[in-house]
Amino acid sequence: MLAIKNVTLINGIDDAPIENASVVIDGGKFAEVGAEIEIPAAAAVVDGTGKTIMPALSDAHTHMGGTCTFDHPGAGGRTETYDYTEAREGFLSWGVTTVRTCGDLSNDILSFRDDVRAGKIINSPRIISCGPFIQSENGHPWATVYMKDARIAKEGCIFINEQANIEEEVSNIYKRGADFVKVFYAHLNKMDTENFVPRISKTQLERVVATGHALGLKVAVHVDGPREAEDAIDCGADFIEHLIGANSDDMTVDDAFVEKFKASGAVLDPTMISILRFDATPGYHSVWEALKAGIKKLYDAGVPFAVGCDSLIPFVPAGESLHDELACLVETGIDPMSVIKMATMGNAKLFGMDKTIGSIEPGKAADMIVLGSNPLDNISNTKDIKLVMMDGRVIVDRMLAV
């Protein structure tokens, strides 16, 4: 049993921090939390004066088999990534204890997810996975960033054309045990900016969403711009991934679009840091200011947000990029507390895991970060990590052993 006292507590629920709080961890869970609690005599007590405790973070959009260091293929499996070592170590070292992976080699990522859930692998964040993603033949990403890789075609994606039995294909994703459906409804060619790539039709997208919903699966749709997002919303998509892609030819977030988005109940996962990292790419035009303005407009209207990074694509490392995503969201004008709540309890609700993670409350898994400075003063202070804990296990220790 461990107690940390005299801390500023951001619990992931309240709009204001709790000062002079104590947190008691026992049996891998939060036992007692608050400003006026009695610390059990059996607890080892650590004075956290000057420290801030917040819930561990989660990343709503990653690719576990990807890499930002170019030392293995862009969608590696368990063998060549050493069971996703770059991803696992990056996430946990930065206090990210749950991730939603949005495109990997399906058999590998689903078997790895199952091993993590079964407790066979403990040095990993929790995994939520889509299994194989759906896209157009010769469309993005298989024919663009994956350069028509044969293994990815076989193990990572499902191609939709006019002859495809969409309902059967989505049913097969369900039978594989995927947690949700991921589909690409996008036209930009990241590798050849002069030419677009084919995308599935709106009717096909509607069939994907309807079948997913009939099977009890939510559907996340990758888009390159607000007009594609609007189509996805019309089709009943649950999650919109990206909103305005790097080098997008569609950047208009008008009032009608905002109202439609809000009325739909769909969740926006803007992955701002991944857009920023490519915004100055030679041959691209900047979308950054339009993206920031659009994000703030949607937030002010009450559209719910997820917090993801598209991490482990090039230049977007696992873990640290989630902190950079928080800073991007704050740069739009959203206050730090709201952003932290999005990346903790907000993401937990998105994952359907808010009864067990996402906030610091008695009975929940003891996933938390101890910071040396207050992120409400400056959001960059989320990087001032002194301790990371997952399920009551210490993952990073720059405090207890000192």
Side-chain angles (χ1 to χ4, degrees), residues 146-157:
Y146 290 138
M147 294 183 279
K148 298 187 175 182
D149 183 282
R151 185 181 180 192
I152 294 172
K154 180 180 179 181
E155 301 180 33
C157 57

Side-chain angles (χ1 to χ4, degrees), residues 141-218:
W142 180 71
T144 57
V145 296
Y146 290 138
M147 294 183 279
K148 298 187 175 182
D149 183 282
R151 185 181 180 192
I152 294 172
K154 180 180 179 181
E155 301 180 33
C157 57
I158 294 171
F159 298 118
I160 295 296
N161 56 29
E162 293 301 325
Q163 291 74 45
N165 186 330
I166 293 174
E167 289 73 21
E168 182 178 348
E169 295 289 7
V170 177
S171 180
N172 287 337
I173 292 174
Y174 170 79
K175 291 174 183 177
R176 288 189 183 200
D179 298 303
F180 66 102
V181 176
K182 168 73 178 295
V183 56
F184 285 83
Y185 186 71
H187 67 285
L188 295 182
N189 188 336
K190 308 296 185 181
M191 313 302 287
D192 178 5
T193 59
E194 299 299 318
N195 295 290
F196 296 152
V197 291
R199 71 184 179 207
I200 66 174
S201 70
K202 185 176 179 181
T203 298
Q204 290 167 337
L205 176 60
E206 188 172 30
R207 288 170 63 189
V208 169
V209 175
T211 307
H213 288 174
L215 294 168
L217 295 177
K218 293 186 177 181

